[in-house]
Amino acid sequence: MSRLIGLGLLLAGLLYPFAVYYGTEHFAPWQFGLLLGSLWLLRALTAGPRPGSRWMAVTVIVFCVLLAWFDNPQWLRWYPSLVSAFMLALFGLSLQYGPPMVERLARMTDPHLPPHAVVYTRRVTVVWSVFFLCNGLIAYGLMGLLFAVEWLVRQRVRGRV
């Protein structure tokens, strides 16, 4: 059951941009919040102990409750950024307070990692942290660019440019 819920969350994550783009014409934001929140709640209740999984589930569930409560379509665009920010915090803090996140994940399958593997997993955790940081910066940069271009187009359509 846990794998099925995980697969549902993976599909929801992959299809999220398309679902928001096409689905907002047919579904209210509270319905997105209810669906995503339900999937995360099921995941939290059925998943085994994994590093950071409980905190991530609680964070996303709170977001989904707020999304459903305020029923604001603008909030739908914050979900991917929230997940990236949480993953950045999770991976980045694991570098400081150890062991690094990738090492924790690797030790789930091989509890006795050799020293060179520990060094490697630390480097991979740094790479993932940089990725999540860049992902957030690129997303916000692109959002700013889109707002600016849309504003220029709006001015032109109104006959001001």
Side-chain angles (χ1 to χ4, degrees):
M1 183 64 162
S2 179
R3 287 187 180 200
L4 186 61
I5 294 166
L7 179 61
L9 281 171
L10 177 65
L11 287 174
L14 292 173
L15 298 175
Y16 187 82
F18 305 105
V20 169
Y21 184 76
Y22 294 109
T24 52
E25 296 177 16
H26 308 289
F27 300 100
W30 68 266
Q31 292 169 315
F32 282 97
L34 183 64
L35 176 64
L36 282 173
S38 298
L39 282 172
W40 278 100
L41 180 61
L42 286 171
R43 166 107 182 204
L45 295 174
T46 60
R50 292 186 191 157
S53 64
R54 191 167 299 148
W55 282 108
M56 184 161 188
V58 167
T59 302
V60 176
I61 290 168
V62 167
F63 172 79
C64 289
V65 167
L66 292 172
L67 172 63
W69 180 268
F70 290 107
D71 198 29
N72 185 337
Q74 296 298 325
W75 283 46
L76 290 169
R77 288 159 179 79
W78 285 95
Y79 177 75
S81 298
L82 174 71
V83 171
S84 279
F86 187 85
M87 295 300 283
L88 171 61
L90 191 65
F91 278 70
L93 288 172
S94 77
L95 288 168
Q96 183 173 0
Y97 298 107
M101 184 57 62
V102 176
E103 180 183 339
R104 293 179 196 184
L105 296 170
R107 287 190 186 277
M108 289 179 164
T109 57
D110 185 7
H112 305 292
L113 291 176
H116 71 277
V118 172
V119 172
Y120 174 77
T121 58
R122 181 170 192 76
R123 288 182 184 153
V124 173
T125 302
V126 169
V127 169
W128 276 106
S129 298
V130 170
F131 168 79
F132 289 122
L133 177 64
C134 292
N135 190 32
L137 294 175
I138 289 170
Y140 285 113
L142 289 175
M143 285 172 36
L145 179 64
L146 179 59
F147 283 128
V149 169
E150 190 277 328
W151 182 83
L152 289 172
V153 169
R154 187 175 352 131
Q155 299 306 311
R156 185 176 179 129
V157 168
R158 294 169 111 182
R160 291 190 179 165
V161 174

